[in-house]
Amino acid sequence: MTTYGSFPGTRPRRLRTTPVMRRMVAETRLHPADFILPAFVRERVSEPVPIAAMPGVVQHSRDTLKKAAAEAVEAGVSGIMLFGVPEDGKKDAAGTAGTDPDGILQVALRDVRAEVGDELLVMSDLCLDEFTDHGHCGVLDDQGRVDNDATLERYAEMAQVQADAGAHVVGPSGMMDGQIGVVRDALDQIGREDVAILAYTAKYASAFYGPFREAVGSSLKGDRKTYQQDAANARESLRELALDLEEGADMVMVKPAGPYLDILAKVAEASDVPVAAYQISGEYSMIEAAAEKGWIDRDRAILESLTGIKRAGARNILTYWATEVARTLR
């Protein structure tokens, strides 16, 4: 047999020979504490409502949400990110249900804090899109455009009511310019310096959000391309990162995760705070749909997708499989 240089002395396959060998030399490991569970809670339902586009995910009732939070604690998950779905007829142009102390999201925050205390980080989506009748993440001006600075005033109020309701972490997700600084000031003004901010730093205008629109009962007409980022741009994310860090973000996030692993890697390399990534509804639904067809191995595909996200630099991952995968890992 002809040999070339050090071959066959150098054989990388030696480190792949057995499951124990592969486990020992693994460069990336998933852990239950890596995960945050996104969860939807719907106003005035007594039973969970299945989400057709996201098999296995539901709009929770208040009682089943508390159960889901307790199960996440038991599995070792670090956090739960709550999204509120208001009762029909409660949406308006200003999204007032989102800042009502008795609105569904604030009620859910209190419920979950009462159920799990500090054993699970209770996080809240800080955005108006679930509560506006036009479906946008902010208030509109007289020409129907999202008014950045008027929206910031609503975000400040929203941050304060969410903190009062028990949120450990707020997640401003609307991609308004200056939102992190305004939210930080609003929290500090009411003495809630302890509430952390998870900034949606790089949030792209993605086709993969489709199933999420059903999950939150979105009223959106049109798109969000004037405030969410363009898929063609990478450097822009680093500019957003610098601004969020300067304004006081405690953690930063890239969303979606899978289609933007290059962005995640760039943000992780540049950031001096923890970096999260959100494996969004479309990513979830594609795997579930392909698995249901028998085209892929569901469990392997889930773990492979999550490993890729962590390998790219995510310290934490928001995923609808959080509790399931955490149980598997334990």
Side-chain angles (χ1 to χ4, degrees):
M1 177 179 177
T2 303
T3 61
Y4 301 93
S6 60
F7 183 83
T10 301
R11 293 183 180 269
R13 287 182 57 190
R14 293 191 188 108
L15 300 184
R16 305 170 194 155
T17 52
T18 68
V20 173
M21 176 66 82
R22 293 190 294 274
R23 184 183 67 192
M24 185 183 74
V25 301
E27 298 173 26
T28 305
R29 299 182 193 276
L30 296 171
H31 187 278
D34 296 338
F35 300 124
I36 298 164
L37 174 68
F40 308 101
V41 56
R42 183 167 171 175
E43 192 166 20
R44 295 189 184 280
V45 295
S46 57
E47 299 292 335
V49 179
I51 300 168
M54 299 177 69
V57 180
V58 300
Q59 294 172 331
H60 283 287
S61 69
R62 289 175 62 186
D63 286 340
T64 62
L65 177 65
K66 290 188 287 186
K67 181 180 178 183
E71 290 173 347
V73 171
E74 184 179 3
V77 170
S78 286
I80 186 168
M81 175 67 79
L82 301 184
F83 297 84
V85 183
E87 191 176 9
D88 291 343
K90 286 194 175 180
K91 295 183 180 183
D92 59 26
T96 53
T99 50
D100 180 354
D102 295 318
I104 182 58
L105 183 52
Q106 283 67 252
V107 169
L109 286 166
R110 290 193 291 269
D111 283 345
V112 175
R113 277 302 299 271
E115 182 72 21
V116 301
D118 293 333
E119 293 186 86
L120 186 71
L121 285 175
V122 180
M123 305 179 172
S124 54
D125 179 55
L126 201 164
C127 197
L128 292 171
D129 61 316
E130 297 104 302
F131 307 104
T132 53
D133 55 11
H134 47 74
H136 277 288
C137 297
V139 296
L140 306 183
D141 64 17
D142 56 7
Q143 297 184 53
R145 301 170 302 189
V146 175
D147 187 324
N148 191 95
D149 295 3
T151 297
L152 294 181
E153 295 179 16
R154 299 287 294 125
Y155 286 2
E157 184 181 356
M158 200 171 199
Q160 292 176 341
V161 297
Q162 290 181 353
D164 286 342
H168 293 104
V169 180
V170 295
S173 61
M175 291 299 288
M176 296 298 121
D177 293 340
Q179 64 183 12
I180 302 305
V182 167
V183 167
R184 183 72 271 160
D185 287 346
L187 292 169
D188 292 351
Q189 286 170 14
I190 62 168
R192 296 310 307 271
E193 296 88 352
D194 58 320
V195 175
I197 298 176
L198 170 58
Y200 284 59
T201 290
K203 184 179 181 181
Y204 282 85
S206 173
F208 291 92
Y209 295 130
F212 182 88
R213 304 280 162 81
E214 178 190 346
V216 296
S218 175
S219 306
L220 181 67
K221 302 294 189 297
D223 59 52
R224 297 182 173 131
K225 293 182 179 179
T226 64
Y227 45 103
Q228 294 178 353
Q229 288 180 244
D230 189 328
N233 295 344
R235 287 195 302 269
E236 184 179 39
S237 294
L238 298 182
R239 186 182 186 197
E240 293 279 5
L241 173 65
L243 290 167
D244 284 352
L245 293 177
E246 183 180 357
E247 292 173 27
D250 300 289
M251 298 172 278
V252 297
M253 183 158 68
V254 174
K255 180 180 181 180
Y260 296 90
L261 294 181
D262 60 323
I263 306 301
L264 175 57
K266 290 177 185 292
V267 170
E269 183 177 3
S271 176
D272 61 358
V273 301
V275 176
Y278 196 146
Q279 185 183 52
I280 67 169
S281 57
E283 299 175 72
Y284 172 94
S285 296
M286 286 193 303
I287 289 177
E288 290 287 354
E292 190 275 331
K293 291 282 190 180
W295 293 341
I296 60 173
D297 182 316
R298 175 185 181 274
D299 294 347
R300 286 183 60 198
I302 291 170
L303 287 175
E304 185 174 339
S305 68
L306 293 169
T307 299
I309 294 167
K310 188 169 183 184
R311 188 183 64 241
R315 181 63 190 83
N316 297 104
I317 304 171
L318 286 83
T319 175
Y320 299 98
W321 291 301
T323 301
E324 175 186 344
V325 172
R327 285 172 172 161
T328 300
L329 295 173
R330 294 188 73 168

